[in-house]
Amino acid sequence: MDGTWILTIVTILLPLAYHYDTIKIVYGTIMATILEKYYHVLIADDEKGIRDLLKDLLEDSFYVNTIDRGDLIINELKRKKYDILILDLQMPGKNGIEVLQAIHNLKIDTVVVVITASNDVQLAITSMKLGAYDYLVKPFDTDKLLVILKNIVEKLDLENEVNELREKVGESFRFKNIIGKSPKMQRIFATLERVIDTDSTILIIGESGTGKEIVAKAIHYNSNRKQYPFKSIDCSTIPQDLIGSELFGHEKGAFTGAIARKIGKFEIASKGTLFLDEISNLSFDMQAKLLRVLQEKEFERIGGNEIIKVETRIVAASNRDIREMVKQGTFREDLYYRLNVMPIYLPPLKERKEDIPLFIDYFLKRFTSEYGRTITLDLQSRLYLTDYHWPGNVRQLENVIKRLVLLSTEDVVKLDIVKSVLEFEEYNKPAVQQDVYAAIPSTIATAPVHESFDNGDTISDNDTTLQDETVKTLDEVEKEYIEKMLKQFNFNISVTAKAINVSRKTMHNKLKKYNIAIKKTVADD
Amino acid sequence: MYEVDIIEKIIRNIAHEVRNPLTTIRGYAQLLTQKLDTASIQKSQKMIIEQAERIDGMFNDLYNAFTIKEDIIVGCLIPDILQKALDASVYHDYIIIDDCDSFQVPCYMNRLLLCFNTFVNGFNWKYFPDARLRIYVKKETFCTIYFQYTNVIFDASLENLFFYPFQTKHFFVKGTELFSIYCIANRSGWNMDFNYSNNTFAISIPL
């Protein structure tokens, strides 16, 4: 009988010897890819030969541990984190299917590769249904196993990268990293800490530019939902016809132009957080739909019949007094109470002056690093900025510091420069919106603006400039504005473009469009 | 059960079992082309030879199970034969001979002794150190010898376990032990049964 088995072994070895070079290259390539990172692998097989083989094969690239009984696997997985489990289906104590079931039920985070001497297809299907990543029938080609492991390593690398990025993003939104040392902000953080891990809806109320979205992100990234998506939607910028599709998605053919199924933000952020900015701008119809989702935690895509269940947490924000809107009948009372479970009032910057120096330092550091400048502010400038009333809140402060960094010709910014930039801000009051149209000088759009909660974000009903039929066209206004700004910055195209927040290319296009001549004798750019 | 069904089960079980050492042989053969240091080469060679010998051993065990030694029928006192098997075993502390009717039974004494030895020594006592074997004999229409393993539960999936020799591998040292006892019983005109409810094997010898 010995002779027969020697012949069998020679039959196996000969073709392997023939393909020696190919095998070596495959092995080398695969191992080189895997070698870059070390993961933990648990080999579970009652066969000592196979445990030894896999250990010898993998220990250069992984931390390898072995186990010979099925009933010990779960405890070992609980005791120590293993990224990959190579699992034999037939083991004493507990068979592989039972182990897979337990891993599935206990939600143990490990990638399972099943190895078995049985070629029963049903067993393979059951294993895959229970979450096995792949399935190999003995006697398997070790190169196949290496390819599977390489794919798993790539998958784990990607997952790790995503987690690291998520962590990094989350880190910047940790409460401790959000600027706000003032007692008012500290009280807000303390309140949020208490409700952060609950599913309760949070309504953030605050003037434009107070950092409502940052607080919404902080709520998400500090909560136990942080590994799931954070999605935001600005209800004021999306046309009411499209907002339903944005929120709930639509099926293919649901309406003209619906050429493919679209998944809505509610669905994407299921288990995560959905930030509804400027919720007061939602139409009455949409408010009713939103209320239903908040109550039932389910909805249908537009044009669809399938009921989609979601666990999305809602954080809503408004710069308007929703209570007043409820009184006026423009906002649903039931929705207001549903949203107002945990109201947060973000104070304007002028009410937390102790935070202003912190913001100044933060933005200075950020923009000097971004633009490669070394700029500081002298004491008088700092005091002046701290004392300023900041109608555009943090966003305005950010823009002012950005301008100072860009425009300053000296390393230490003096008070006169600060004053001129702030005068420019006053002159261009709506400039806080970071938009070339929004920065239209008040001499052109002189209408009074509501001194209400929204602080100038909406155009007044009494805006005679817009109602007047003899009003200048938008192009004329824009041309006039660009000419004025160019003049102010000595016809330096780059600086003017930065100051009005458009690219140089756009600036050149505008100059060409409006036939604006550059009067400067020596062009800086 | 039809003979062809029995053959199918045995072949399937052997094929299943032989794939394990074949995997090791194939794997180390592949590793021989990749890890070229002396220690690795020696380890690969050693593993390949070991596993080849293991396959050889498996087939030898199966072959021996089929090859029943010649024997003659003599009058046997069952408790005496049991005691003889026990005296020769290192595992006698695990075994309890209980409630034995003592009477002469005409049977193949050496084959019976081989069966006893296999039950006593073939069980995997190292793997199940808490297990015990209780043996008792009843005189009914047949002389029935019962082998009851306690503190161990045989997997209910081991249906027809006599025809899946290697499926019992963890309960018995080689896995072929029950198959071997079954073959001896079958060739000697004895009945062999297993009762899952009480983990008891029974060999019935006609009187």
Side-chain angles (χ1 to χ4, degrees), chain A residues 2 47 56 69 117 138, chain B residues 19-20 28 35 54 56 127:
Chain A
D2 284 347
E47 281 287 325
D56 288 343
R69 287 181 61 99
K138 294 175 187 175
Chain B
R19 283 185 183 127
N20 280 319
Y28 273 106
K35 289 193 170 182
R54 196 183 136 198
D56 188 38
Y127 206 84

Side-chain angles (χ1 to χ4, degrees), chain A residues 304-320:
Chain A
N305 297 318
E306 189 192 346
I307 303 268
I308 294 153
K309 295 203 175 289
V310 286
E311 297 166 41
T312 319
R313 180 191 212 164
I314 297 294
V315 177
S318 175
N319 61 2
R320 297 172 69 182

Side-chain angles (χ1 to χ4, degrees), chain B:
Chain B
M1 191 182 288
Y2 292 112
E3 278 181 12
V4 69
D5 289 334
I6 294 172
I7 293 167
E8 187 248 329
K9 283 181 198 314
I10 293 171
I11 296 287
R12 193 197 294 174
N13 190 233
I14 294 167
H16 185 277
E17 187 61 17
V18 88
R19 283 185 183 127
N20 280 319
L22 279 181
T23 306
T24 312
I25 290 172
R26 185 181 176 155
Y28 273 106
Q30 282 184 274
L31 214 56
L32 264 178
T33 64
Q34 295 141 10
K35 289 193 170 182
L36 299 173
D37 58 291
T38 311
S40 297
I41 290 172
Q42 282 175 351
K43 167 110 190 256
S44 295
Q45 285 171 341
K46 179 178 161 272
M47 292 302 285
I48 289 170
I49 291 165
E50 251 180 44
Q51 296 298 312
E53 283 171 353
R54 196 183 136 198
I55 295 172
D56 188 38
M58 270 159 50
F59 280 92
N60 277 334
D61 287 342
L62 286 168
Y63 181 75
N64 289 340
F66 279 112
T67 319
I68 310 296
K69 283 178 187 160
E70 286 297 320
D71 199 4
I72 50 162
I73 296 178
V74 291
C76 304
L77 270 172
I78 304 291
D80 287 356
I81 301 171
L82 280 171
Q83 197 55 54
K84 202 175 168 184
L86 219 62
D87 291 345
S89 172
V90 292
Y91 300 112
H92 50 83
D93 287 346
Y94 295 88
I95 292 125
I96 305 148
I97 298 178
D98 192 14
D99 200 12
C100 281
D101 294 342
S102 188
F103 53 91
Q104 287 268 340
V105 182
C107 74
Y108 297 105
M109 192 178 72
N110 288 325
R111 290 184 187 177
L112 195 59
L113 183 61
L114 187 60
C115 289
F116 291 170
N117 275 332
T118 310
F119 272 121
V120 169
N121 298 317
F123 187 76
N124 201 344
W125 298 108
K126 284 179 185 164
Y127 206 84
F128 298 99
D130 295 333
R132 295 290 177 267
L133 174 61
R134 178 181 166 236
I135 307 172
Y136 54 100
V137 183
K138 293 266 175 247
K139 186 182 177 187
E140 290 150 351
T141 322
F142 294 85
C143 165
T144 308
I145 310 151
Y146 295 94
F147 300 86
Q148 184 181 23
Y149 289 95
T150 54
N151 294 335
V152 59
I153 299 167
F154 287 98
D155 194 335
S157 68
L158 299 177
E159 201 183 341
N160 296 315
L161 76 178
F162 303 133
F163 309 125
Y164 285 109
F166 297 107
Q167 206 145 325
T168 58
K169 200 169 62 184
H170 298 290
F171 299 102
F172 292 89
V173 177
K174 291 179 180 174
T176 49
E177 287 84 353
L178 289 178
F179 181 64
S180 168
I181 296 169
Y182 180 82
C183 287
I184 292 170
N186 190 267
R187 292 284 177 84
S188 307
W190 310 331
N191 270 338
M192 188 172 171
D193 262 320
F194 177 62
N195 186 343
Y196 282 99
S197 62
N198 57 9
N199 275 341
T200 304
F201 293 91
I203 292 177
S204 302
I205 303 166
L207 293 172

Side-chain angles (χ1 to χ4, degrees), chain A residues 48 84 97 141 152 176 258 266 287 311 316 369 425 483:
Chain A
K48 187 180 177 300
I84 302 166
I97 295 293
D141 181 346
I152 293 173
K176 64 179 167 51
F266 255 111
Q287 288 176 27
E311 297 166 41
S369 145
E425 280 286 313
E483 281 176 337

Side-chain angles (χ1 to χ4, degrees), chain A residues 416-430:
Chain A
D416 56 329
I417 307 280
V418 172
K419 275 184 175 170
S420 69
V421 169
L422 282 173
E423 272 165 25
F424 173 74
E425 280 286 313
E426 287 292 309
Y427 182 68
N428 301 281
K429 205 168 183 180

Side-chain angles (χ1 to χ4, degrees), chain A residues 69-202:
Chain A
R69 287 181 61 99
D71 50 352
L72 304 178
I73 297 172
I74 296 299
N75 275 345
E76 181 62 13
L77 290 174
K78 281 182 185 167
R79 188 187 70 81
K80 191 178 162 188
K81 160 86 180 141
Y82 287 95
D83 305 288
I84 302 166
L85 167 67
I86 299 176
L87 174 70
D88 182 26
L89 282 190
Q90 198 142 55
M91 296 188 75
K94 199 176 243 179
N95 71 44
I97 295 293
E98 289 170 320
V99 173
L100 274 172
Q101 188 79 55
I103 288 172
H104 183 77
N105 292 344
L106 296 167
K107 295 191 171 100
I108 296 172
D109 185 19
T110 187
V111 183
V112 184
V113 178
V114 166
I115 51 173
T116 176
S118 163
N119 42 14
D120 182 351
V121 178
Q122 196 51 47
L123 213 54
I125 294 170
T126 311
S127 305
M128 300 304 259
K129 274 187 180 167
L130 287 170
Y133 181 85
D134 218 323
Y135 187 94
L136 282 174
V137 177
K138 294 175 187 175
F140 51 79
D141 181 346
T142 49
D143 283 343
K144 271 190 189 165
L145 175 66
L146 291 177
V147 169
I148 291 170
L149 293 176
K150 176 181 168 280
N151 291 339
I152 293 173
V153 165
E154 279 174 6
K155 173 182 173 284
L156 292 173
D157 280 348
L158 272 176
E159 280 176 7
N160 285 345
E161 209 170 309
V162 168
N163 286 339
E164 276 169 25
L165 284 172
R166 199 170 270 153
E167 198 57 39
K168 216 175 268 180
V169 171
E171 189 56 35
S172 57
F173 291 105
R174 296 271 178 270
F175 289 136
K176 64 179 167 51
N177 292 334
I178 293 181
I179 298 169
K181 304 291 175 209
S182 60
K184 279 186 180 178
M185 289 307 286
Q186 287 301 312
R187 269 200 297 278
I188 289 172
F189 295 151
T191 311
L192 286 175
E193 292 273 15
R194 284 199 296 276
V195 293
I196 206 89
D197 283 333
T198 67
D199 289 338
S200 73
T201 305
I202 295 177

